[in-house]
Amino acid sequence: MKVTTGPSGESYDDAAGYYTPGEPIVDTKAPAGPIAERWQTRQFEARLVNPANRRKLDVIIVGTGLAGASAAATMGEAGYNVKSFCYQDSPRRAHSIAAQGGINAAKNYKEDGDSVHRLFYDTVKGGDYRSRESNVHRLAEVSASIIDQCVAQGVPFAREYGGLLDNRSFGGVQVSRTFYARGQTGQQLLIGAYQALERQISAGTVSMYSRHEMLELIVADGKARGIIARDMVTGEVETHLADVVVLASGGYGNVFYLSTNAMGSNVTAAWRAHRKGAYMANPCYTQIHPTCIPVSGSHQSKLTLMSESLRNDGRIWVPKNQADCDKDPRDIPEEDRDYYLERIYPSFGNLVPRDIASRAAKNVCDEGRGVGPEVDGVRRGVYLDFADATQRLGKDAVASKYGNLFDMYARITGEDPYSVPMRIYPAVHYVMGGLWVDYDLQSTIPGLFVTGEANFSDHGANRLGASALMQGLADGYFVLPHTIRDYLADGPFEPIAEDHPAVVEARESVQSRIDHFLSVNGTRSVDSYHRELGNIMWEYCGMERSEDGLKKAIDLIRTLKDDFYRNVKVLGAAETMNQSLEKAGRVADFIELGELMCIDALNRRESCGGHFRAESQTEDGEALRHDDEYAYVAAWEWAGADAAPVLHKEDLVYTAIEMKQRSYK
Amino acid sequence: MNLTLKIWRQPDAASTGAIHTYQLADVSPDMSFLEMLDVLNEQLNEQGEEPVAFEHDCREGICGSCGLMINGEAHGPEVTTTCQLHMRSFSDGDTITIEPWRSDAFPVIKDLVVDRSAFDRIIQQGGYVSVNTGAAPEAHSVPVPKDDADRAFNVATCIGCGACVAACPNGSASLFMGAKITHLGLLPQGQPERDTRVVNMVAQHDAEGFGGCTNIGACTASCPKEIPLDVISQLNKDLRTAIRHGH
């Protein structure tokens, strides 16, 4: 067991008793050699599949966001027999559509010193040295092709008057490498991938199963061979078999109940796979986004993010004096304002990375200098002020850059951001944790591949702006289609029958869960449990975590879980559309995931990226990493419902980059 | 505020639906319309009545999932999506009638949820550029005038919610279709398939049972993304050109 030594020499392991130590885990697929050649090497070494054989191979892809739709379209074009699944009514509605800001690519169109190596370096550094070097380098390498692909599809990126693509800089980065389509980049990229997918549906290479939810993974003879899905309209529990399964099912930020995720975003596909043997890596790494619209009351069902690009021109401040907090901000003179990011981090100013901006906002609000309405006795908001930008650029220029965000803000808050500074506060946005994958994007279950936000590998402990869209499309268009063929070269695998014990077991497991939820007939709604779980997670596993808080959270979650199974109330029937039943299954999985997140956070007694442990900070309150103890990926193995999870550690080795403590001062 | 809600309830596609009336108290003006329905559903669940099924996902006005007829208007009294409509648009004591989208081509699945898969089938008939992954030229090899790119973006913002169809007395999807045809028609990448695209998409539109356009303009008036009516002129122009070209 890894035991950490404290400053005065004492030994401790905060998570002792909450987990079982396991064997180390290694990525056996990443080629050795110079980092710039590894991807080429792997592409060459991955075996080929003859075009005539591809149509004999069945590929299931769950999720139709940037990672899933791009993978399904590309695999379809290549001639594989693809089955694509999404829970929405149309693949076009996947939550990637809500991404606002942009997508990074090492095009160096601005001749400002960008390169593949710099994008790689910035991403590893931005991830606080907890991502995998080889994966991130590959991401940077294929980034330029993504832009080419999207432009060819007709994605209407912003352009300059000469007709060439425009770029801007984005949080945490000092070069202009972000391509964007006003404030709706995710929408335009997703529609591009969706259209490519629809083209393949029309061509007959992809069969689309919308309004279907994956509820179980089929693992037969050690390999992922299919899924059990519920048709959300008829309630029918269906078996879908294949040679390989790809999860592109997104992130699990909704474990916090309030987040910027779509209401339906859930962890079920990944969690059911975890329970079947896929390791869950770094689940505690949650990105809290600094620029969201603050909570207005207890009815709130979700939080709305505003693009981080606003930080390019907006200045963040709070009053210097607590007494000014309820004043009209326009009446507070310049000398009484604290532009705290510019003050503390002069070289990056308002463009510091997200974790730093978020925690700084929390700190000033905790000091009592927050602004906006009081909710539960505290003002949780800081100003994001465009007065200077409007004076410098003119209102029209500000409107053309950020108009849709300003309109959105006005609609939600009822205030006009052109005349009064916006108010923002951090909110849960993205998770860097996810299923463990090797360099091929294959999980610990052979034949189960995981892409996009659902895997863990590229973002480390933190994610730079405009890098999630890049990863989703890189995985789907350019990485998975190459790596998966090495696995498929052994296929087609021997067909399995619907009465194979693994299929029967998976179906029975789904059916018994459905029957259980509908038969409890307790007193509390599914939503009430979800809200309670969210409060626990935000309070104890949110922006700041401590040993005592996390242990308390684990106890609370265990009690909540017990009550949920005995006292939940789900009305309606199984053989029909039943939204409460859908939510019940998802919340059950969120509860188990929440416990694992707390255990993972407890184990990691260091602060890095989206994980800030109160016990590990510098004298001036900055995050303090412990590379000597924690430069590893925590890969958790499910050991059973009543057993402690098993922790496997993958050491992170950097050969092309030196681990440095981050400093944005 | 206190509200009387008259809501269309229909157990499934085969059943007959009916309006049910519910009373809801203590609604905050800061709630979104869907949060108001969440509160109603908690109340119904407590009373042992199955919650109202309605569609929603991002609640940020971009995914296009939500869509309700509110007092006879698609997405209600403001130019926005249902998720971005707030209760401050209503008054204490109001009676609000809530129905699913009205269109034969969007059959009801349950309560307020309809089947909009016809939109996907229209896109399948040519609402894309045929370029395989990896076959794209360098992005700067084809410059696009800024004005064209900006205009293409403006019409590409269609979220496929279906309000245009629900608002149209003819149940036409011309605004939806025109937006895509205009988006791709403005860009050099969309030119090679321009004629076949419009011909095939219009044929699918008609086969799905959407009605013809008679320039009433209710579509654009209810469009949350303010897609302009002239995309339909562009659609008709492209269709005439394609026919002249022998398609």
Side-chain angles (χ1 to χ4, degrees):
Chain A
M1 187 182 298
K2 188 95 172 177
V3 175
T4 299
T5 307
S8 48
E10 81 278 21
S11 294
Y12 52 80
D13 176 1
D14 294 342
Y18 288 90
Y19 75 98
T20 310
E23 291 299 309
I25 186 171
V26 287
D27 173 10
T28 56
K29 301 283 178 49
I35 195 154
E37 291 168 21
R38 288 179 198 166
W39 178 225
Q40 278 179 16
T41 305
R42 183 66 194 130
Q43 280 176 279
F44 181 75
E45 286 176 352
R47 290 168 294 163
L48 300 172
V49 179
N50 163 346
N53 288 339
R54 292 181 201 161
R55 58 179 166 268
K56 298 177 198 155
L57 289 161
D58 296 326
V59 180
I60 283 174
I61 300 179
V62 181
T64 60
L66 289 176
S70 58
T74 305
M75 297 292 287
E77 286 162 11
Y80 298 97
N81 184 24
V82 179
K83 285 181 167 183
S84 169
F85 292 79
C86 70
Y87 72 77
Q88 298 91 344
D89 71 320
S90 164
R92 67 175 292 144
R93 309 207 197 280
H95 192 53
S96 302
I97 204 160
Q100 295 166 354
I103 178 167
N104 286 337
K107 282 282 199 186
N108 196 26
Y109 282 162
K110 295 287 182 194
E111 199 59 24
D112 55 4
D114 202 10
S115 64
V116 167
H117 194 80
R118 191 175 296 278
L119 175 53
F120 156 69
Y121 175 83
D122 286 350
T123 306
V124 172
K125 178 187 171 204
D128 235 343
Y129 303 93
R130 293 293 177 266
S131 53
R132 265 209 210 116
E133 183 181 75
S134 302
N135 292 56
V136 176
H137 198 278
R138 174 175 67 190
L139 176 67
E141 284 173 65
V142 304
S143 64
S145 306
I146 297 171
I147 304 303
D148 299 341
Q149 181 66 29
C150 296
V151 165
Q153 288 170 344
V155 170
F157 283 117
R159 292 194 177 251
E160 295 172 336
Y161 282 100
L164 302 179
L165 293 158
D166 193 14
N167 306 111
R168 60 185 175 195
S169 69
F170 224 68
V173 169
Q174 288 169 313
V175 294
S176 288
R177 65 159 71 101
T178 305
F179 294 77
Y180 65 103
R182 209 155 309 164
Q184 296 166 38
T185 314
Q187 181 196 26
Q188 294 308 317
L189 296 175
L190 182 68
I191 295 294
Y194 156 78
Q195 289 175 183
L197 174 60
E198 293 297 326
R199 174 174 163 244
Q200 292 309 308
I201 294 169
S202 177
T205 64
V206 177
S207 308
M208 187 68 225
Y209 296 82
S210 57
R211 294 193 195 274
H212 275 65
E213 182 164 38
M214 169 181 161
L215 294 179
E216 201 55 83
L217 179 74
I218 297 168
V219 182
D221 309 318
K223 293 189 178 72
R225 291 302 306 273
I227 63 170
I228 307 292
R230 181 171 177 272
D231 180 328
M232 293 157 74
V233 175
T234 65
E236 193 182 340
V237 175
E238 302 172 355
T239 302
H240 295 274
L241 300 171
D243 293 286
V244 73
V245 177
V246 180
L247 298 189
S249 47
Y252 50 77
N254 270 344
V255 68
F256 290 90
Y257 187 72
L258 284 181
S259 82
T260 66
N261 287 209
M263 300 294 285
S265 295
N266 64 84
V267 76
T268 289
W271 194 254
R272 303 322 291 174
H274 173 61
R275 290 178 55 121
K276 279 281 165 67
Y279 294 179
M280 178 64 83
N282 297 335
C284 80
Y285 287 156
T286 305
Q287 180 174 66
I288 315 267
H289 204 292
T291 50
C292 299
I293 299 177
V295 174
S296 65
S298 57
H299 56 267
Q300 204 108 10
S301 61
K302 75 154 287 165
L303 297 172
T304 301
L305 172 144
M306 290 186 300
S307 168
E308 194 173 30
S309 64
L310 290 168
R311 290 202 276 146
N312 282 328
D313 288 304
R315 297 180 69 195
I316 294 171
W317 63 276
V318 290
K320 279 183 181 162
N321 308 311
Q322 218 168 330
D324 289 343
C325 288
D326 57 353
K327 279 191 186 159
D328 184 324
R330 292 167 295 187
D331 296 338
I332 301 175
E334 200 64 21
E335 63 270 20
D336 289 337
R337 301 176 176 192
D338 179 12
Y339 295 90
Y340 57 91
L341 290 176
E342 298 170 34
R343 172 170 60 81
I344 309 172
Y345 309 100
S347 65
F348 278 76
N350 294 299
L351 290 176
V352 292
R354 294 171 175 183
D355 58 315
I356 293 180
S358 295
R359 214 164 41 251
K362 179 178 190 290
N363 289 343
V364 293
C365 293
D366 288 350
E367 283 170 25
R369 293 193 288 141
V371 297
E374 273 189 24
V375 178
D376 301 330
V378 192
R379 295 178 201 276
R380 298 209 176 276
V382 299
Y383 290 123
L384 176 62
D385 197 336
F386 280 80
D388 283 4
T390 307
Q391 203 161 26
R392 189 175 75 244
L393 306 166
K395 186 180 170 184
D396 288 351
V398 170
S400 82
K401 266 179 154 170
Y402 307 113
N404 70 309
L405 300 168
F406 279 39
D407 292 348
M408 184 176 80
Y409 180 86
R411 179 162 295 289
I412 292 172
T413 62
E415 290 173 12
D416 172 23
Y418 288 105
S419 54
V420 188
M422 291 183 177
R423 287 173 291 109
I424 55 168
Y425 197 69
V428 169
H429 181 54
Y430 192 93
V431 291
M432 282 73 66
L435 292 177
W436 187 90
V437 289
D438 62 19
Y439 189 70
D440 280 0
L441 305 181
Q442 187 171 218
S443 71
T444 46
I445 300 174
L448 179 70
F449 290 75
V450 190
T451 63
E453 191 179 353
N455 78 26
F456 87 101
S457 57
D458 291 8
H459 301 307
N462 185 38
R463 183 178 70 78
L464 289 180
S467 66
L469 304 188
M470 175 172 62
Q471 188 219 344
L473 290 180
D475 284 1
Y477 283 136
F478 298 108
V479 178
L480 177 85
H482 287 290
T483 58
I484 202 171
R485 58 185 161 82
D486 188 63
Y487 180 80
L488 287 173
D490 287 328
F493 299 102
E494 194 170 323
I496 58 170
E498 297 226 352
D499 63 354
H500 188 288
V503 180
V504 173
E505 183 274 328
R507 281 190 75 102
E508 280 175 355
S509 154
V510 167
Q511 197 59 54
S512 73
R513 270 161 69 85
I514 291 173
D515 294 345
H516 172 80
F517 292 133
L518 289 172
S519 65
V520 181
N521 200 22
T523 59
R524 279 182 65 180
S525 69
V526 176
D527 278 351
S528 75
Y529 284 100
H530 195 178
R531 201 173 277 125
E532 188 174 334
L533 174 69
N535 286 339
I536 297 169
M537 296 302 294
W538 178 249
E539 184 66 26
Y540 300 110
C541 199
M543 265 189 281
E544 185 170 327
R545 297 100 184 254
S546 69
E547 181 186 353
D548 289 347
L550 288 164
K551 286 181 173 169
K552 183 168 179 193
I554 293 167
D555 282 347
L556 290 170
I557 292 170
R558 287 175 178 171
T559 307
L560 185 74
K561 180 178 174 178
D562 188 52
D563 191 66
F564 175 79
Y565 278 96
R566 285 188 293 109
N567 198 24
V568 72
K569 181 178 193 171
V570 181
L571 300 170
E575 301 79 20
T576 170
M577 175 172 277
N578 187 336
Q579 295 174 333
S580 306
L581 177 63
E582 293 159 18
K583 282 192 276 192
R586 295 170 190 168
V587 170
D589 291 337
F590 275 138
I591 291 173
E592 290 182 350
L593 165 73
E595 182 180 337
L596 185 67
M597 288 170 75
C598 292
I599 294 173
D600 186 45
L602 191 54
N603 168 258
R604 192 169 286 277
R605 186 188 261 247
E606 67 163 344
S607 296
C608 73
H611 173 61
F612 188 85
R613 270 295 289 271
E615 295 89 345
S616 184
Q617 49 186 308
T618 61
E619 276 175 11
D620 45 359
E622 298 296 327
L624 184 62
R625 273 195 348 248
H626 292 293
D627 292 336
D628 49 339
E629 300 283 348
Y630 295 103
Y632 61 76
V633 174
W636 296 92
E637 179 186 358
W638 175 259
D642 300 314
V646 181
L647 172 58
H648 302 271
K649 294 176 182 175
E650 177 197 340
D651 284 332
L652 288 164
V653 181
Y654 293 93
T655 59
I657 204 162
E658 185 195 348
M659 279 199 244
K660 285 186 197 152
Q661 194 71 26
R662 283 197 303 167
S663 172
Y664 289 89
K665 288 204 168 177
Chain B
M1 46 188 164
N2 298 316
L3 301 171
T4 301
L5 303 171
K6 295 169 102 63
I7 302 181
W8 182 262
R9 303 294 312 256
Q10 183 176 336
D12 53 47
S15 307
T16 309
I19 295 275
H20 289 225
T21 304
Y22 304 100
Q23 301 298 328
L24 191 61
D26 296 329
V27 173
S28 152
D30 286 334
M31 286 177 184
S32 71
F33 199 84
L34 300 183
E35 285 168 346
M36 182 275 291
L37 288 178
D38 290 341
V39 174
L40 172 73
N41 275 346
E42 282 289 290
Q43 182 179 307
L44 291 179
N45 197 70
E46 214 160 275
Q47 294 164 352
E49 183 172 351
E50 204 182 330
V52 180
F54 64 94
E55 203 149 13
H56 62 97
D57 204 10
C58 77
R59 296 203 177 188
E60 291 181 18
I62 192 75
C63 76
S65 295
C66 65
L68 302 170
M69 298 302 288
I70 300 167
N71 291 335
E73 292 182 276
H75 291 304
E78 309 217 353
V79 181
T80 187
T81 54
T82 302
C83 65
Q84 294 296 296
L85 177 66
H86 284 74
M87 296 313 293
R88 63 179 82 96
S89 298
F90 299 88
S91 308
D92 187 30
D94 276 0
T95 296
I96 306 176
T97 304
I98 309 169
E99 302 161 85
W101 278 163
R102 296 169 177 170
S103 164
D104 277 355
F106 291 162
V108 172
I109 292 173
K110 181 174 184 170
D111 295 342
L112 303 171
V113 179
V114 300
D115 179 356
R116 288 169 289 191
S117 54
F119 271 10
D120 291 329
R121 290 188 292 273
I122 290 175
I123 296 296
Q124 282 161 26
Q125 292 308 310
Y128 47 74
V129 173
S130 294
V131 52
N132 280 7
T133 304
E138 209 288 329
H140 270 181
S141 62
V142 185
V144 179
K146 179 171 165 50
D147 289 346
D148 289 351
D150 286 352
R151 180 137 186 271
F153 172 83
N154 284 339
V155 294
T157 56
C158 167
I159 56 174
C161 63
C164 49
V165 175
C168 175
N170 304 332
S172 173
S174 290
L175 194 75
F176 167 78
M177 205 165 38
K180 186 49 60 192
I181 281 163
T182 306
H183 160 210
L184 296 176
L186 278 162
L187 300 171
Q189 292 82 4
Q191 299 314 310
E193 297 166 289
R194 190 165 178 171
D195 286 349
T196 50
R197 174 179 304 121
V198 66
V199 169
N200 294 341
M201 284 174 71
V202 168
Q204 188 66 34
H205 170 274
D206 295 351
E208 294 288 350
F210 292 106
C213 172
T214 53
N215 286 319
I216 290 163
C219 52
T220 190
S222 70
C223 174
K225 299 299 158 185
E226 302 181 65
I227 304 291
L229 196 60
D230 64 9
V231 299
I232 300 180
S233 319
Q234 188 66 55
L235 160 71
N236 291 329
K237 199 172 154 191
D238 278 19
L239 188 60
R240 284 196 302 275
T241 306
I243 290 167
R244 208 165 53 237
H245 290 167
H247 287 280

